[in-house]
Amino acid sequence: MLLGQVLWLVLALAGPLGFRASLLGWRPALMLVAVGLGGLVLTGFISLVALFWLLRSGRPGGPAICLPAAGIGLVALIGLLLVGLRGAQAPPIHDITTDPGNPPLFAAAAQLRGEGDNLIAYPGEAVAGVQRKAYPDLVPIEVALAPAEAFARCLGVAERLGWTIVGQNRDQGMIEAIDRTLVFGFTDDIAIRIVASGDGSRIDLRSASRAGVGDFGTNAKRICSFAAAFRNP
């Protein structure tokens, strides 16, 4: 049982490792993880059934053989349920912005995306409507700073958050960056737009995944983290 679970675990780990090494696309990488975790759960369930059978038949050594495999399967099941719950709570969209009506445009990102990546163009009102319902508090940042000062602070916040700056234009008030997810290392593109607004500035952000249909709320969370960091320098 344990040997089988080791093989399933290796298969699950091969997904993110293969993607990070550019050996797999995101679809086969996710499939490997799903199959590997599913195998762990199935093997754990079989181990649990075998444990009950061994205990009923009075055979010694049943718990020592089956309990570890059942425990590993339970951990995998909990992991799958948590991922599924997170996915169910987030809408199936991957391009998030504080200005759905006029989102910041990507320039550098258009050159960085490759074949098989999501389209660079904003999906339009269909996605904007879903976003407004799912993330009603995602709004522009209004600050009493001149655009040049706001630009400098935005740049500093992005660097502090660990984002990689891939483009900046002070005259146009545009900053572009990329960030990577923790487990798979999926690349997400970020655009920050700073414009004059009254006596201060308005800052809009856009965060979009290169891979996948849904993002498990990652892009909205990233924008919220930026806003919190900006307001608490």
Side-chain angles (χ1 to χ4, degrees):
M1 292 292 184
L2 285 176
L3 178 58
Q5 287 194 316
V6 169
L7 295 177
W8 287 122
L9 182 60
V10 169
L11 191 66
L13 293 175
L17 293 176
F19 181 83
R20 283 180 174 272
S22 300
L23 299 175
L24 294 172
W26 65 270
R27 287 182 179 87
L30 287 176
M31 183 62 69
L32 281 179
V33 172
V35 171
L37 291 179
L40 287 172
V41 173
L42 178 61
T43 308
F45 176 75
I46 293 172
S47 299
L48 193 60
V49 173
L51 174 62
F52 284 126
W53 182 80
L54 290 171
L55 290 175
R56 286 196 64 183
S57 63
R59 298 191 181 187
I65 296 173
C66 300
L67 270 181
I72 293 172
L74 178 61
V75 171
L77 178 60
I78 292 173
L80 281 173
L81 290 175
L82 290 175
V83 170
L85 179 62
R86 184 180 175 188
Q89 291 175 335
I93 56 177
H94 59 262
D95 196 335
I96 309 298
T97 177
T98 57
D99 188 357
N102 181 30
L105 300 177
F106 289 121
Q111 307 301 317
L112 296 174
R113 292 199 178 190
E115 184 179 354
D117 289 341
N118 289 325
L119 298 177
I120 203 74
Y122 185 68
E125 186 56 34
V127 166
V130 174
Q131 180 195 304
R132 291 188 185 101
K133 291 181 180 178
Y135 309 115
D137 298 330
L138 216 58
V139 296
I141 304 172
E142 299 277 358
V143 292
L145 295 174
E149 295 177 275
F151 184 98
R153 184 182 289 188
C154 285
L155 197 59
V157 170
E159 292 172 342
R160 180 151 47 97
L161 290 174
W163 300 353
T164 301
I165 306 300
V166 295
Q168 54 177 298
N169 188 316
R170 292 181 180 274
D171 293 335
Q172 295 179 3
M174 289 295 303
I175 299 171
E176 287 189 69
I178 60 173
D179 191 25
R180 290 184 168 85
T181 60
L182 181 61
V183 177
F184 276 87
F186 290 140
T187 301
D188 297 340
D189 294 298
I190 307 156
I192 307 171
R193 181 180 65 204
I194 304 101
V195 298
S197 177
D199 295 329
S201 299
R202 167 175 163 153
I203 302 163
D204 282 292
L205 288 93
R206 179 182 174 191
S207 183
S209 305
R210 293 186 188 178
V213 177
D215 64 359
F216 293 91
T218 298
N219 289 300
K221 182 179 179 181
R222 179 179 292 119
I223 292 174
C224 290
S225 296
F226 180 94
F230 186 92
R231 295 187 176 102
N232 298 281

